[in-house]
Amino acid sequence: MSRNSVLIPESKKAMDSFKMEVANSLNVNLKEGYNGDLTARQAGSIGGEMVKRMIAYAQNNMNK
């Protein structure tokens, strides 16, 4: 199995939407499709912020 394969196909649309939301909040011009014009720092900031938000969401829901 590929490392980047989608385990739950239904989640792809939600994750793409989440990525766009995070990019907008960071003022990174992310568009549908190819984004080769982004710097590594910009792309990394999107992924890093997504992970931070997912961890915070999980922690908040574990306490309930």
Side-chain angles (χ1 to χ4, degrees):
M1 179 164 57
S2 172
R3 181 175 173 206
N4 291 326
S5 66
V6 178
L7 296 176
I8 303 171
E10 300 83 18
S11 69
K12 178 114 174 79
K13 187 175 179 182
M15 288 301 289
D16 287 342
S17 175
F18 181 46
K19 187 189 306 180
M20 293 300 275
E21 175 187 326
V22 169
N24 286 335
S25 73
L26 296 173
N27 295 321
V28 174
N29 186 22
L30 188 67
K31 54 192 173 297
E32 297 282 333
Y34 181 71
N35 283 287
D37 57 332
L38 293 181
T39 65
R41 176 172 283 203
Q42 289 172 318
S45 68
I46 294 169
E49 184 65 22
M50 288 175 69
V51 170
K52 278 178 36 179
R53 291 183 188 189
M54 287 186 277
I55 290 171
Y57 177 80
Q59 287 176 334
N60 288 335
N61 287 309
M62 288 173 66
N63 295 331
K64 293 180 180 178

